[in-house]
Amino acid sequence: MNIGFVGLGAMGLPMARNLVAAGHVVAGCDVRREPVDALAAAGGRAAATPADAARDADVLILMVVNADQAEAVLFGEGGAASGLKRGAVVVASCTQPAACAKSLAARLDELGVLLLDAPVSGGVVGAEQGTLSIMVSGPDAAFDKAGPVFDVLGKAVWRMGAEPGLGSMMKTVNQLMCGAHIAVAAEAMSLAARAGLDPRLAQDVLMAGAAASWMLGNRGPRMLQSDPPITSAVDIFVKDLDIVLDAGRDLKAALPLAAAAHQMFLGASGMGAGSEDDSQVLKAYENLSGIKVPRD
């Protein structure tokens, strides 16, 4: 298939490389030159603009950060919508409010283009290994056309329904859980350190029992590193939990744990850690408790 790919970040670049390795023709575009060159070196085509990436594409994947970026990529200057052929499928894999996914679908429909609202979960490791969990909503015709793409990128492809926005709402629920799990893991490490426990040993104990979680196992060790690699920033969860809380207000659903987690990520961002790995929400707890958790 001819695939356009916009957003070659920490997850987007390995996803695009996997599609090239699977035999697809991939044209990639990003605001930074380095990942575009890296995709070209792997056998893809360097695209100068989103419209260039969309040219001749059967499927266009948007692996951007949020709804504003998706809007700009599609309808801004040099936007991809102008380069899409009728019958093409746009796969929007950004984290965005459900209402934004519905709006994009309506605008693309006027151009004869189909939208799949398809956010992903699984992080950089899932992107590299092709084991992402993909939450898809949209028309059956679009899903059937994009099926070979999902086969390469994900191990679990969830059909959330035909209505655009259901995929994004599922990702919203997912991010509530992820943000709360990271925050509570940081809270546990703060308590362990204040009580004089070895936080590394505490993590081993927790992961061996009923308190274990994927986020504790993944983010916990990075909380104890002085300069951990950045796979997802603190400010990403400030944004994502904003979306969660907005959804709760719209639906009149009380989300007290999401609100508490949001405050901790916001506090860490306010301390200057917004661009650091999201595990460093721990710094907000350290600031509250007045104790430093030992790090490597």
Side-chain angles (χ1 to χ4, degrees), residues 169-257:
M169 185 55 70
M170 188 66 245
K171 180 62 183 289
T172 297
V173 175
N174 184 83
Q175 293 307 91
L176 187 164
M177 293 285 288
C178 289
H181 281 187
I182 296 171
V184 78
E187 189 167 298
M189 290 305 97
S190 177
L191 175 61
R194 189 166 188 86
L197 294 169
D198 178 347
R200 292 162 187 79
L201 179 58
Q203 285 187 12
D204 290 342
V205 172
L206 293 170
M207 286 301 296
S213 72
W214 191 93
M215 279 299 187
L216 174 61
N218 185 267
R219 300 309 203 267
R222 299 212 296 269
M223 290 178 187
L224 308 182
Q225 297 177 23
S226 297
D227 187 22
I230 301 169
T231 60
S232 174
V234 164
D235 277 345
I236 294 294
F237 269 100
V238 172
K239 169 190 69 73
D240 287 0
L241 289 171
D242 267 336
I243 293 173
V244 170
L245 295 175
D246 284 345
R249 280 189 287 271
D250 291 344
L251 296 169
K252 293 183 170 54
L255 304 175
L257 296 182

Side-chain angles (χ1 to χ4, degrees), residues 11 120-128 132 214:
M11 292 179 66
V120 302
S121 181
V124 174
V125 172
E128 291 173 343
L132 293 169
W214 191 93

Side-chain angles (χ1 to χ4, degrees), residues 97-115:
C100 293
K102 293 178 183 179
S103 176
L104 287 180
R107 294 181 68 180
L108 289 170
D109 184 64
E110 294 176 358
L111 303 174
V113 174
L114 300 173
L115 176 80

Side-chain angles (χ1 to χ4, degrees), residues 259-283:
H262 180 258
Q263 288 296 302
M264 299 312 296
F265 281 101
L266 196 61
S269 181
M271 294 170 59
S275 61
E276 297 180 21
D277 186 70
D278 57 29
S279 63
Q280 299 311 296
V281 69
L282 177 63
K283 291 183 177 180

Side-chain angles (χ1 to χ4, degrees), residues 5-20 26 28-30 32-42 44 63 124 127-128 153:
F5 204 112
V6 181
L8 300 173
M11 292 179 66
L13 179 57
M15 291 167 68
R17 281 173 168 159
N18 286 342
L19 289 166
V20 171
V26 181
C29 176
D30 194 90
R32 297 166 301 125
R33 185 68 200 180
E34 294 83 2
V36 177
D37 290 341
L39 178 62
M63 194 62 193
V124 174
E128 291 173 343
L153 300 181

